[in-house]
Amino acid sequence: MFKTLEWTEAGVVLLDQRKLPTEEVYQVFGTYQEVAQAIKDMVVRGAPAIGVTAAMGIALGVKQIETADPVVFVQKFLLICDTLAATRPTAVNLFWAIERMKKVFYENFKHGDFTRLKRAVEDEALQMQQEDVELNRRMGQLGASLLPQKARVLTHCNAGALATAGYGTALGVIRAAVEQGNSLQVFADETRPFLQGARLTAWELQKDQIPVTLITDNMAGHFMKSGRIDCVIVGADRIAANGDVANKIGTYSLAVLAKENSIPFYVAAPTSTLDLNTPSGEQIPIEQRSGQEVTHIKETPIAPHGIDVANPAFDVTPNRYVTAIITERGIAKSPYDESLRKLKA
Ligand code: MRU
């Protein structure tokens, strides 16, 4: 089994997701700056995985602070946090993880023992890693109850073990259902332009011997209309207080198509993805990525040189298209303002 992310004495070890599925390469990132760059470059990606990796990056940075001056120590700590916060704007798990690390930092800072402080932040990052796997399993169990015994499930992007510390959110629900004996057929959208579906979801489901059929993004409507999809399950990068869901670009189109075809549309995400400080999807910042991701496949150009490109990495699905939001604490349904507030409390 592969390990998406790992804490070692040498630094944070990441499975380089840019190289999958053709190469399974693990790289060590030995400083917090290197970890931040790895998140930016999508060596590691997926909201929960970004959060846990950032926490490990902070622990690594704090471990390497060499000063006895408390003022300088805090300055350096804040610089580490700011550097990691500036990597990717949409997944709220990143900011959630940084806040959690800050809390532990300040709780321990007041004792004035920097060795103990360094250990406490490291322990917190490791705790977050372990919790993430556990809560994905719980979410999986809860979500599996929504799936028919025999189901054809469409998913988008990668919300699997590669997008988390392990097991996955949307793919965690699929894994749990398969473990319970459901007979599932997964349809994976390739997910242009970064191809998380083709390169990552197809790879990890195939490794687990879960039946998966790869389709291009523009085939989804055809499969839904011809009665070949029973439900859609996706992950999320940020869920606003009203239940609007930011997820990989293309998710909104799927949700609209699902409603049009009377197919349930489920979102699986941990409560750390719920952002009750953001009232609706309109306020969610959408990351704009390099046009090169659209004009090229790896190094090969597939569009004319110099063409104008737009490349928003995420879109927002309005809550009215979401049948249910599966979390580790329970399943939320409309009205989401109320149900999500209860789950987060
Ligand atoms: O740009 P990415 O690959 O980080 O986007 C990932 C997604 O959109 C996932 O669906 C989301 O983070 C949920 S992962 C459990």
Side-chain angles (χ1 to χ4, degrees), residues 17 39 42 44-50 88 91 93 132 136 139 155-164 168-171 191 194 196 199-200 234-238 246-249 251 268-270 273 287 289 293 313-314:
Q17 299 193 25
I39 295 173
M42 293 177 64
V44 63
R45 31 63 52 203
I50 292 170
R88 297 196 69 193
N93 306 61
D132 190 54
N136 284 336
M139 198 189 313
T155 190
H156 190 64
C157 192
N158 172 266
L162 288 167
T164 60
T169 58
L171 296 193
T191 317
F194 208 69
Q196 290 93 331
R199 297 189 304 103
L200 310 177
V234 295
D237 288 85
R238 192 186 293 233
N247 190 49
K248 182 52 54 194
I249 193 77
T251 303
T273 306
E287 178 182 7
R289 292 190 63 85
E293 290 178 357
F314 302 96

Side-chain angles (χ1 to χ4, degrees), residues 33 121-122 128 135 174 182 187 202 248 251 322 331 342:
Q33 291 97 330
V121 291
E122 178 179 326
M128 282 161 78
L135 66 84
I174 288 168
N182 292 36
F187 286 81
K248 182 52 54 194
T251 303
V322 180
I331 296 171
K342 273 193 203 140

Side-chain angles (χ1 to χ4, degrees), residues 292 295-302:
Q292 170 105 359
T295 56
H296 288 65
I297 291 194
K298 296 225 161 157
E299 303 305 312
T300 310
I302 54 162

